[in-house]
Amino acid sequence: MSFTAEQAMQLLDFSQKLDTALLDAVVDCFYSNIGSEQQLAQQILTQLKEHPEAWTRVDTILEFSSKQQTKYFALQILESLIRTRWKAIPREQCEGIKKYIVGLVIKLSTETNLEDHKMYLSKLNIILVQIVKQEWPRNWPTFISDIVGASKTSESLCTNNMAILKLLSEEVFDFSSGDMTQVKAKHLKDSMCSEFSQIFQLCIFVMDSSENVSLVGATLETLLKFLNWIPLGYIFETKLVSTLVYRFLTVPAFRNVTLKCLTEIGGIQATEYVEQLVVMFTLVMTQLKQMLPLSTNIREAYKNGKDDEQNFIQNLALFLCTFLREHAPLVEQKHELQNNLIEALHYLVLISEVDEKEIFKICLEYWNHLAAELYRENPFTSPSSPLLLGQQALPPRRQLYLPILSKVRLVMISRMAKPEEVLVVENEQGEVVREFMKDTDAINMYKSMRETLVYLTHLDYADTERIMTEKLYKQMDGTEWSRRNLNTLCWAIGSISGAMHEEDEKRFLVTVIKELLSLCEMKRGKDNKAIVASNIMYIVGQYPRFLRAHWKFLKTVVNKLFEFMHETHDGVQDMACDTFIKIAQKCRRHFVQVQQNEVMPFIEEILNNIRAIVCDLQPLQVHTFYEAVGYMIQAQVDTVVQERLVEKYMSLPNEIWEGIIARATADLQELQDHETIKQLGHILKTYVRACTAVGHPFVIQLGRIYLDMLNIYRVLSESISNAVAVNGELVTKQPLIASMRTVKKETLKLITCWVSKSQDPILVKDNFLPPLLEAILGDYQRNVPGAREPEVLSTVTAIVEKLESAAISSMQEILSALFECTLDMINKDLEGFPEHRINFFRMLQSVTSYCFPVYLQIPAAQFKLLVDAIVWAFKHTMRNVAEIGLNILLLLLQKFASHQSGTQFFQTYLLDLMQHVFSVVADTSHTGSLTMHATILAYMFSLVEEDKIGGLLFNTDSVQAANNAIYVQEYVAQLLKQAFPQLQNAQVKVFVEGLFYLNHDIPAFKEHLRDFLVQIKEYAGDNASELYLEEREEQLQQAAEDKRKQQLAVPGIINPHDRPDEMQE
């Protein structure tokens, strides 16, 4: 049925009878059409849903509509009413809706064609649970007995009632935070616990007597949800555990949910029920050996199994890991049960071999826990006498686990994940390529496996070495050769660096590297050679301790890396440079010292051959190489030698730089040539990476190029401005202009980098700052927004952080050039210029921290702009900007609180700022910052309460209030009533009192705010009893008394006139 806009609008006329066929047509159009018709349908449905009377049509729609989607739409209207306006509608209407929904649920649950209505019934169950949350226990005290009683009349109704109870348990115990106030959630939890015996009896009755598969399945699923909160007596003092194990564990239809229930029980910490836990473990193991004999090849069984069987393996892993992690010591202590423990561990080893990442993660977490626990109980120390190395020297617990841990080592070594540093990989097609995308999941897996293998190595390094050496020889003789096997072995070898004694490590590593180098010679084909090379580089990069102790080996390795830098196979050069930089950082001193049998430090050799080494590298790789050499130079402690090294180190880039400067001095047109500009960018990037490594001593190089660099900055800025003036802002995207901007950005990065590493703030202030500000400030201010470099702002931030209060003298000049023009770029919307945005607020944060006195000198109008900018920041939807804004605000409040000019600031801005913070607290897009909101509001209210304002926040002529605290209470209450007219006076009163009573306890203050956020979503209606306000008031009074006691305990905290014990005759 098609419809016109005029016809569709009739749905919004509540004086007419509802045309359900027309509504079906509109809903159908919304889901199946596109374009203008769908937009019209969406508009009509949105308006209908938001209409305050829409709920009155729900029963008609559910009764007469022929479309499931229309019925779902009606249920959305009803759910919205129940969540937000339930208490505002008349009581008899509530009762009517409740009866209608209950009747509908019963009718659908008992129909024979239940499968057809399954989705619809699930939605109705959700609606019913929302009603129960509002009505029970106060207005529907018999709910639990009603649902239990009804369950006994029909199996299909009982099945659905189990689903309702499961949903209710989830809503109350799992998802109540942020959806209900703390007091209401506590009431519902207490009600469920006190009435649970009826539900439990129903569950046991079904489990004992029903033969209906779907009913028993639903009961077990519901029981699973109950197990994490029910009183423990129901679990351990009844026959529940034996029923689960004997009646359901071996039945294929129920074994997965039963195992989940047993896992939940196995994770319970209950010292009074340890015997019952041990008995449960024994029963499960007995049944398990019949269901899945230990001789089963679980890896193959999983590979060929159906979904249900695969889930069973995963659930079994969860059960064993959970139980053993929590209760293994209980089983270890009983000699007769140790066999069960060993068998459980054997199952876990077999499951660890299953080729499924999620299952392996479950096992890995347990092996990590076990190995770490065994190590920490008895950290490995070398025995004083070799005669003590016998088995008796091992702690008894470690001895028990010894055989199983050897199998775990083998699994870890065979399955080792790829480390982040390895860039050369084999793809799914078997090609060896460079990896560009980082796989964060694999990186996290590697970190866990590495940690586990390190602990396992500490527990028995000889066994680790034996397994690794055997596997290496099998690579050499070809019996286990494959790229994957070689990779996992080498990644495992690289991961245990530092876990062996130095002598053992040396012997082991020399063997490994020798074998791998001969494997590299032996293997044919570029791909195979690339994989072996990649593994050699990874391993040597992981053993800096060994390299530092063996100079000849270190030198050989570095020369090998220089060879690899000429290898054009994808990824090998990158990895060679990355390994070189790792070695340079860890062994830097060894390169600048003259080693035994050498005539000069190795750094001299590197610098002499630098052209030949880098000739085949790409620009990015050259930058990495220069940074690596920079770390070596930084380690030279003799400043004269260091200066000479820096000059030699920079000679190649300087040669090109000086050539460009000379040509540009002769003819400025040289700086319009694209190749020249690209070269400048490349050289500046090299300088930045060099400065990152060398640090402050780079000053000798920076001084040499500084003024020329700033001149180039000015010339390029002018070229960009002229291009924009002629061709508009889009010209900044053209290759030449983009390259010019790169030169400007890298110039600023270089200065920022050196300033942040400089050890001489006076040198920075007197020699480097004046020419810099002259070059960048005016240029930034004059440029069009699209051509302003955000790095200018980060450079200023670095200068302020380095100079701290010494930057105050330049701050006026800086702020007048950067503040207003940047603010004007970012205050039009919340998305444009993201880099400028974040850098601007970081700059304000550093100025507020170190140069606060500047704020006292700027004119009032400009200071108001500053406060507005801070408010603008914390209202941002960009999380990082909002967080910086909140940090600046807190900093500003703290600075003014300890300054004599604070009174004027607080009188002018405090209440406004409070209002703005409340507005973001109530904005759902800012819930992630609630802790910071709570911290700031608590600080504001404590300033008021402790009378640290230094003056009145109100005008005594027009306002009657005894003090600031009483006035602020009134002010905030009025503010909230205007913003949220649906709140009752009693609710507002309790909330405002809490803001004062809880301001010393941030977690409690935060929860108080969270409760308030729950309340503003609902219309409270006339009956305030539902809100549990009296209980909340009692809690707040208690908090106020506790706070007072704390203050009285510290002499001097409370004014003598306010103390009960002072000045009394």
Side-chain angles (χ1 to χ4, degrees):
M1 169 184 168
S2 59
F3 56 88
T4 63
E6 203 174 323
Q7 287 173 316
M9 292 302 283
Q10 290 171 16
L11 294 172
L12 303 175
D13 182 356
F14 278 71
S15 61
Q16 291 184 28
K17 191 178 171 196
L18 178 70
D19 182 345
T20 46
L22 175 62
L23 180 59
D24 280 344
V26 173
V27 171
D28 199 38
C29 171
F30 174 68
Y31 282 107
S32 55
N33 282 17
I34 52 170
S36 57
E37 283 185 346
Q38 189 201 36
Q39 285 173 354
L40 172 65
Q42 183 179 11
Q43 187 186 337
I44 297 293
L45 293 175
T46 305
Q47 286 177 314
L48 179 58
K49 198 171 170 183
E50 290 170 356
H51 196 288
E53 298 297 310
W55 63 274
T56 58
R57 298 271 166 106
V58 170
D59 56 342
T60 312
I61 300 170
L62 296 181
E63 206 72 38
F64 298 107
S65 169
S66 60
K67 301 262 183 195
Q68 286 283 26
Q69 282 163 330
T70 312
K71 291 181 178 182
Y72 295 156
F73 173 70
L75 292 179
Q76 283 176 1
I77 294 172
L78 191 55
E79 187 173 9
S80 171
L81 170 83
I82 297 164
R83 281 178 180 277
T84 60
R85 297 178 54 238
W86 184 256
K87 296 186 187 75
I89 60 173
R91 193 66 237 151
E92 63 274 13
Q93 301 275 26
C94 293
E95 290 297 330
I97 293 171
K98 182 166 85 182
K99 280 189 179 135
Y100 178 76
I101 293 296
V102 169
L104 203 49
V105 167
I106 292 172
K107 176 170 168 270
L108 283 171
S109 324
T110 49
E111 283 187 1
T112 47
N113 56 341
L114 187 58
E115 277 303 311
D116 301 347
H117 306 298
K118 208 168 179 182
M119 278 289 289
Y120 181 37
L121 184 58
S122 299
K123 297 270 185 193
L124 281 167
N125 288 343
I126 292 168
I127 298 291
L128 182 57
V129 168
Q130 294 303 332
I131 293 174
V132 171
K133 279 163 63 183
Q134 299 285 4
E135 294 285 279
W136 174 68
R138 200 176 292 264
N139 295 322
W140 193 355
T142 59
F143 166 69
I144 296 290
S145 50
D146 288 353
I147 198 166
V148 170
S151 298
K152 292 175 181 171
T153 61
S154 138
E155 287 200 324
S156 58
L157 182 58
C158 185
T159 305
N160 190 58
N161 286 351
M162 285 295 174
I164 291 169
L165 289 168
K166 177 184 164 195
L167 271 175
L168 183 62
S169 171
E170 287 175 339
E171 286 285 324
V172 173
F173 287 92
D174 301 342
F175 309 131
S176 59
S177 175
D179 199 42
M180 286 183 241
T181 60
Q182 298 167 79
V183 186
K184 182 176 177 180
K186 182 178 180 301
H187 261 262
L188 290 183
K189 287 174 183 177
D190 291 348
S191 301
M192 279 202 86
C193 286
S194 64
E195 297 191 48
F196 184 70
S197 63
Q198 297 178 62
I199 302 173
F200 185 73
Q201 283 160 11
L202 175 67
C203 292
I204 291 293
F205 173 72
V206 170
M207 288 159 68
D208 280 350
S209 55
S210 177
E211 297 297 324
N212 182 321
V213 174
S214 60
L215 172 55
V216 174
T219 305
L220 289 169
E221 290 285 356
T222 304
L223 184 67
L224 174 61
K225 286 295 170 196
F226 294 157
L227 285 170
N228 65 7
W229 59 264
I230 62 176
L232 296 180
Y234 286 113
I235 298 172
F236 296 113
E237 292 172 25
T238 64
K239 58 177 186 172
L240 176 65
V241 171
S242 58
T243 304
L244 286 170
V245 176
Y246 287 130
R247 191 168 162 80
F248 299 115
L249 184 58
T250 53
V251 181
F254 305 130
R255 63 186 175 191
N256 276 312
V257 65
T258 305
L259 208 42
K260 284 181 183 173
C261 290
L262 293 166
T263 303
E264 200 68 54
I265 297 168
I268 292 171
Q269 291 274 311
T271 47
E272 67 275 35
Y273 293 117
V274 292
E275 285 304 315
Q276 288 88 331
L277 281 162
V278 171
V279 168
M280 178 187 85
F281 178 66
T282 313
L283 294 179
V284 173
M285 286 305 295
T286 309
Q287 297 291 71
L288 184 59
K289 282 181 279 187
Q290 292 170 14
M291 297 161 67
L292 189 74
L294 266 169
S295 56
T296 313
N297 182 336
I298 293 181
R299 181 190 165 102
E300 284 304 309
Y302 182 89
K303 193 170 158 186
N304 304 319
K306 301 188 189 76
D307 283 356
D308 182 62
E309 292 162 334
Q310 293 186 338
N311 288 339
F312 177 72
I313 301 294
Q314 182 158 348
N315 290 326
L316 177 58
L318 277 166
F319 169 75
L320 292 172
C321 292
T322 305
F323 186 88
L324 293 175
R325 189 179 177 125
E326 298 297 340
H327 307 296
L330 302 177
V331 187
E332 288 167 19
Q333 287 155 16
K334 302 193 178 225
H335 194 71
E336 70 277 12
L337 294 179
Q338 284 185 0
N339 201 36
N340 270 343
L341 174 65
I342 297 300
E343 286 171 346
L345 292 165
H346 189 66
Y347 274 119
L348 267 184
V349 170
L350 293 173
I351 296 171
S352 301
E353 291 171 355
V354 167
D355 197 11
E356 168 53 53
K357 200 183 283 184
E358 293 311 310
I359 292 179
F360 183 67
K361 279 184 192 170
I362 296 165
C363 301
L364 174 61
E365 198 178 329
Y366 173 68
W367 296 130
N368 182 291
H369 165 79
L370 175 66
E373 196 175 55
L374 290 172
Y375 173 74
R376 289 193 191 109
E377 278 172 14
N378 203 305
F380 183 82
T381 47
S382 202
S384 51
S385 154
L387 298 173
L388 291 174
L389 272 171
Q391 291 292 308
Q392 74 280 9
L394 283 176
R397 198 163 173 233
R398 200 182 285 189
Q399 187 134 8
L400 175 66
Y401 285 102
L402 200 65
I404 214 79
L405 291 181
S406 184
K407 293 175 179 170
V408 177
R409 281 184 199 97
L410 184 59
V411 171
M412 291 296 148
I413 293 165
S414 308
R415 295 196 60 162
M416 197 69 191
K418 185 180 81 63
E420 196 173 355
E421 298 90 336
V422 174
L423 304 176
V424 181
V425 293
E426 187 174 9
N427 66 15
E428 287 165 5
Q429 287 76 44
E431 301 160 336
V432 174
V433 293
R434 186 208 190 298
E435 182 184 63
F436 287 98
M437 287 289 287
K438 292 230 179 284
D439 180 348
T440 47
D441 197 36
I443 292 167
N444 290 333
M445 173 90 88
Y446 169 74
K447 285 176 181 168
S448 296
M449 291 185 79
R450 178 186 173 281
E451 190 178 294
T452 309
L453 194 55
V454 165
Y455 282 128
L456 289 168
T457 304
H458 279 301
L459 294 173
D460 186 350
Y461 73 89
D463 189 51
T464 307
E465 185 182 342
R466 177 189 63 76
I467 295 169
M468 287 178 168
T469 312
E470 279 177 16
K471 288 185 86 62
L472 182 62
Y473 288 139
K474 285 177 183 172
Q475 287 298 313
M476 299 302 294
D477 66 22
T479 50
E480 268 189 20
W481 159 258
S482 80
R483 291 172 192 163
R484 171 160 173 69
N485 287 348
L486 179 68
N487 283 339
T488 51
L489 173 61
C490 292
W491 299 339
I493 291 170
S495 70
I496 58 164
S497 169
M500 290 182 172
H501 287 302
E502 208 164 340
E503 279 309 302
D504 296 317
E505 186 177 271
K506 174 188 171 183
R507 177 178 40 73
F508 173 59
L509 207 56
V510 168
T511 309
V512 169
I513 299 294
K514 271 185 184 166
E515 297 295 340
L516 285 176
L517 285 170
S518 61
L519 190 65
C520 196
E521 297 301 315
M522 215 164 74
K523 284 293 163 197
R524 292 287 158 259
K526 279 205 138 202
D527 281 0
N528 289 337
K529 283 188 182 298
I531 287 284
V532 180
S534 147
N535 282 313
I536 293 171
M537 289 189 282
Y538 172 64
I539 290 174
V540 296
Q542 288 299 101
Y543 283 89
R545 179 176 72 174
F546 171 76
L547 295 176
R548 283 196 295 268
H550 304 89
W551 166 250
K552 274 198 166 160
F553 201 87
L554 171 57
K555 186 176 176 182
T556 308
V557 163
V558 171
N559 282 325
K560 192 73 187 168
L561 290 177
F562 292 163
E563 259 181 59
F564 287 145
M565 286 179 194
H566 301 287
E567 171 57 68
T568 53
H569 193 292
D570 223 6
V572 173
Q573 289 173 307
D574 277 316
M575 213 169 153
C577 293
D578 289 352
T579 307
F580 180 51
I581 198 169
K582 271 168 65 180
I583 291 174
Q585 284 170 315
K586 296 292 180 190
C587 311
R588 56 183 88 180
R589 281 186 304 108
H590 295 265
F591 291 96
V592 291
Q593 295 165 344
V594 181
Q595 301 292 337
Q596 197 177 358
N597 302 327
E598 301 280 352
V599 290
M600 58 181 166
F602 192 49
I603 182 75
E604 299 281 2
E605 276 185 51
I606 295 174
L607 294 178
N608 289 340
N609 300 317
I610 205 160
R611 278 174 204 267
I613 297 169
V614 302
C615 65
D616 289 329
L617 296 179
Q618 297 300 310
L620 262 173
Q621 295 159 348
V622 172
H623 304 156
T624 305
F625 180 86
Y626 264 86
E627 187 181 339
V629 177
Y631 288 118
M632 298 172 186
I633 292 172
Q634 187 263 335
Q636 175 56 265
V637 287
D638 183 328
T639 49
V640 178
V641 176
Q642 192 180 46
E643 282 181 16
R644 186 180 59 73
L645 286 176
V646 171
E647 279 190 37
K648 196 169 179 183
Y649 165 57
M650 287 285 107
S651 62
L652 187 57
N654 280 351
E655 205 178 290
I656 304 167
W657 171 268
E658 281 157 12
I660 293 171
I661 296 294
R663 294 199 299 280
T665 309
D667 179 10
L668 269 182
Q669 277 303 108
E670 178 69 20
L671 296 180
Q672 299 297 318
D673 177 64
H674 195 186
E675 276 310 307
T676 302
I677 298 297
K678 272 165 67 176
Q679 248 187 335
L680 273 175
H682 170 40
I683 288 165
L684 282 165
K685 282 175 181 169
T686 308
Y687 288 154
V688 171
R689 295 291 287 273
C691 179
T692 304
V694 175
H696 178 78
F698 195 77
V699 65
I700 183 172
Q701 167 65 18
L702 189 61
R704 178 175 181 165
I705 60 170
Y706 194 63
L707 294 177
D708 284 337
M709 188 168 73
L710 292 180
N711 282 334
I712 287 179
Y713 186 94
R714 283 194 196 88
V715 172
L716 296 185
S717 287
E718 211 170 301
S719 299
I720 294 168
S721 298
N722 293 340
V724 170
V726 176
N727 303 303
E729 220 164 303
L730 275 174
V731 79
T732 55
K733 302 280 185 284
Q734 283 183 2
L736 173 62
I737 303 296
S739 297
M740 287 179 170
R741 292 193 66 183
T742 299
V743 171
K744 286 179 72 180
K745 284 173 190 291
E746 293 303 325
T747 300
L748 293 165
K749 276 185 194 166
L750 178 57
I751 295 165
T752 305
C753 175
W754 180 76
V755 166
S756 61
K757 290 179 178 290
S758 169
Q759 293 148 7
D760 188 348
I762 295 165
L763 178 70
V764 174
K765 183 173 182 288
D766 295 346
N767 294 38
F768 285 88
L769 192 57
L772 174 68
L773 296 183
E774 190 190 328
I776 66 172
L777 294 184
D779 166 64
Y780 184 92
Q781 198 174 9
R782 284 190 302 273
N783 254 328
V784 295
R788 288 179 184 143
E789 305 306 336
E791 286 76 12
V792 168
L793 304 168
S794 42
T795 303
V796 168
T797 305
I799 289 165
V800 173
E801 284 173 355
K802 181 56 65 179
L803 300 187
E804 298 184 357
S805 57
I808 291 174
S809 55
S810 308
M811 221 58 242
Q812 286 277 56
E813 180 190 359
I814 290 171
L815 287 179
S816 57
L818 305 182
F819 181 77
E820 283 188 45
C821 66
T822 309
L823 189 59
D824 202 42
M825 286 164 66
I826 61 174
N827 65 8
K828 307 283 187 293
D829 58 41
L830 293 166
E831 288 87 36
F833 302 107
E835 280 185 84
H836 292 78
R837 217 169 269 275
I838 193 98
N839 289 355
F840 175 70
F841 290 116
R842 278 185 185 142
M843 178 182 83
L844 285 190
Q845 191 174 6
S846 63
V847 173
T848 310
S849 288
Y850 301 113
C851 304
F852 172 71
V854 169
Y855 292 161
L856 308 174
Q857 299 161 12
I858 60 179
Q862 204 175 358
F863 184 74
K864 183 178 184 319
L865 268 181
L866 173 82
V867 175
D868 289 346
I870 295 168
V871 171
W872 181 244
F874 68 68
K875 288 192 170 183
H876 259 71
T877 45
M878 282 167 70
R879 177 88 182 266
N880 47 0
V881 175
E883 283 181 358
I884 294 170
L886 292 167
N887 285 321
I888 300 173
L889 176 59
L890 185 58
L891 208 53
L892 198 67
L893 292 169
Q894 289 165 340
K895 294 278 187 188
F896 272 112
S898 57
H899 197 277
Q900 70 258 33
S901 61
T903 305
Q904 190 186 347
F905 169 77
F906 290 129
Q907 287 173 328
T908 314
Y909 293 108
L910 184 69
L911 296 179
D912 266 356
L913 287 168
M914 203 178 271
Q915 186 173 345
H916 287 302
V917 176
F918 273 122
S919 77
V920 288
V921 168
D923 181 347
T924 50
S925 62
H926 285 269
T927 45
S929 303
L930 195 61
T931 306
M932 198 59 186
H933 296 153
T935 308
I936 289 169
L937 284 173
Y939 186 69
M940 287 175 165
F941 282 99
S942 67
L943 287 176
V944 173
E945 189 191 22
E946 293 160 19
D947 206 17
K948 290 186 177 168
I949 303 298
L952 292 176
L953 292 168
F954 54 93
N955 185 342
T956 48
D957 298 338
S958 55
V959 177
Q960 295 297 309
N963 55 34
N964 280 335
I966 290 170
Y967 173 69
V968 170
Q969 278 190 344
E970 295 274 323
Y971 172 82
V972 174
Q974 280 304 115
L975 185 72
L976 297 174
K977 281 179 204 167
Q978 285 168 11
F980 308 109
Q982 74 271 31
L983 295 180
Q984 295 182 359
N985 288 344
Q987 281 175 290
V988 173
K989 176 175 176 285
V990 168
F991 175 61
V992 175
E993 281 175 1
L995 296 173
F996 282 92
Y997 295 156
L998 300 171
N999 59 40
H1000 65 298
D1001 180 353
I1002 301 298
F1005 194 95
K1006 179 182 167 184
E1007 288 308 315
H1008 189 62
L1009 285 180
R1010 209 193 292 278
D1011 276 358
F1012 179 68
L1013 293 177
V1014 172
Q1015 289 177 10
I1016 61 177
K1017 292 178 197 165
E1018 297 183 30
Y1019 284 79
D1022 301 325
N1023 182 4
S1025 60
E1026 285 286 294
L1027 299 166
Y1028 308 105
L1029 293 175
E1030 283 175 28
E1031 285 185 39
R1032 188 64 181 146
E1033 278 209 82
E1034 281 171 28
Q1035 289 175 356
L1036 291 175
Q1037 286 303 129
Q1038 187 59 48
E1041 283 169 32
D1042 293 347
K1043 183 175 178 180
R1044 177 93 175 153
K1045 279 179 196 163
Q1046 277 179 356
Q1047 291 174 331
L1048 284 168
V1050 182
I1053 286 275
I1054 285 183
N1055 186 317
H1057 300 290
D1058 295 335
R1059 288 185 75 95
D1061 55 346
E1062 297 272 333
M1063 313 278 181
Q1064 289 184 9
E1065 290 293 332

